[in-house]
Amino acid sequence: VKIVADPGANWRAHPDEPLWRGKLRFQRLIEAAANAGANYLKPQFLRRTVYPEGSAESELVAGYEWPPEWIPWMRERCEAHGLGFACTVYEPDHVAILEPHVPFFKISSFEAQRPDLLRAVAATGKPVIVSTGAGYWESVTGGAMADFVWERITFLHCVSAYPAKPEHMNLRGMGFPGARYGLSDHTTGSTAAVVAAALGASVIEKHLR
C-alpha cells in the first residue's frame, strides 16, 4: 500500500503570511510526511482561475497559491527525505509545468469529468490517481477517461466531506471491478485507512498538517 500525504492549504497560516514563512512550513510538512512513513508528498497546484473571477472561492484560493518556481525545490526536498513528489493538477495548461517533475498525476473528483484536463494528462502517458467523491462511477469512467491506459489509473473512493465521519465512509463500495483502487481518506483518524487497506486498497491518500 502506498501512502500519499496531501498538505493542502496547510503550508500557510493565513493568506497574508510572507511566502518565506510558508516555504519553511512546507519544509516542515515534508519532514512530517517522511516521519509519518508516507511514500509521496502530493501538494495541490490549485490556482484562482479554476473558479469564476471575483467569486468567493477564487478569492480564497488566491491566498494559498504557491509559486510554480517552488516545484523543483519541493521535489528535491522530498527526495532528500526519501519521498516521491507528485501533484494534483486542475488545469490543462498546468500539465506541462508539472509533467517533468512528477511520476504520476492526481485529479480531484471535481475535475474528474473535465475532458480537456483528462486528455492533457492522458497525453503524458503517466499514471493517474482519480478521486471519485463528487462524481458518479459511470460519469467518472466514461468520456475522456477512455483515452487512458486502464492499467495506469487508480480510482480513489472518497467521501467529499471535511472532515468525513467514519460511519459515512461506505468502504464496501470502494472496489471497482477490474480497476485498481484506493481511498482518499478525509476522516480525522486512521481506522478508515486501515480497513481500506484490509479490503485491498493499493493507495491511501491522507491530508496532513
Side-chain angles (χ1 to χ4, degrees):
V1 180
K2 299 299 183 185
I3 308 298
V4 178
D6 186 339
N10 293 316
W11 69 274
R12 207 169 194 182
H14 54 81
D16 297 324
E17 183 180 45
L19 279 178
W20 67 267
R21 283 187 178 273
K23 195 171 186 180
L24 288 176
R25 189 172 286 106
F26 238 130
Q27 169 68 29
R28 293 197 292 271
L29 285 163
I30 291 169
E31 294 169 358
N35 291 336
N39 302 103
Y40 294 92
L41 185 87
K42 185 205 62 61
Q44 303 170 9
F45 196 64
L46 181 58
R47 311 282 106 171
R48 72 194 76 183
T49 52
V50 171
Y51 301 102
E53 184 177 356
S55 66
E57 294 84 358
S58 176
E59 294 301 317
L60 176 64
V61 167
Y64 294 93
E65 292 181 348
W66 44 267
E69 293 78 19
W70 287 9
I71 295 172
W73 169 81
M74 285 186 198
R75 185 186 67 180
E76 178 186 325
R77 289 288 76 209
C78 284
E79 291 173 350
H81 287 81
L83 292 169
F85 173 75
C87 209
T88 304
V89 62
Y90 294 83
E91 294 281 2
D93 293 347
H94 299 158
V95 173
I97 297 173
L98 295 166
E99 196 273 334
H101 303 282
V102 298
F104 66 87
F105 288 95
K106 164 70 188 297
I107 297 177
S108 75
S109 60
F110 297 102
E111 274 64 51
Q113 298 171 68
R114 285 191 57 180
D116 54 347
L117 177 61
L118 293 174
R119 292 193 176 101
V121 172
T124 69
K126 292 193 171 184
V128 62
I129 293 175
V130 181
S131 282
T132 61
Y136 291 103
W137 171 242
E138 292 79 7
S139 59
V140 170
T141 59
M145 194 63 74
D147 292 344
F148 287 92
V149 176
W150 190 253
E151 290 75 17
R152 292 178 178 168
I153 309 173
T154 301
F155 292 100
L156 299 188
H157 181 79
C158 178
V159 175
S160 295
Y162 304 89
K165 296 181 179 180
E167 60 267 29
H168 294 163
M169 291 303 291
N170 188 30
L171 292 179
R172 287 181 179 272
M174 179 179 60
F176 304 125
R180 294 151 61 100
Y181 59 89
L183 175 68
S184 178
D185 184 12
H186 294 166
T187 65
T188 57
S190 60
T191 301
V194 172
V195 173
L199 292 174
S202 62
V203 174
I204 302 292
E205 179 186 81
K206 192 78 174 175
H207 291 268
L208 86 160
R209 57 179 175 153

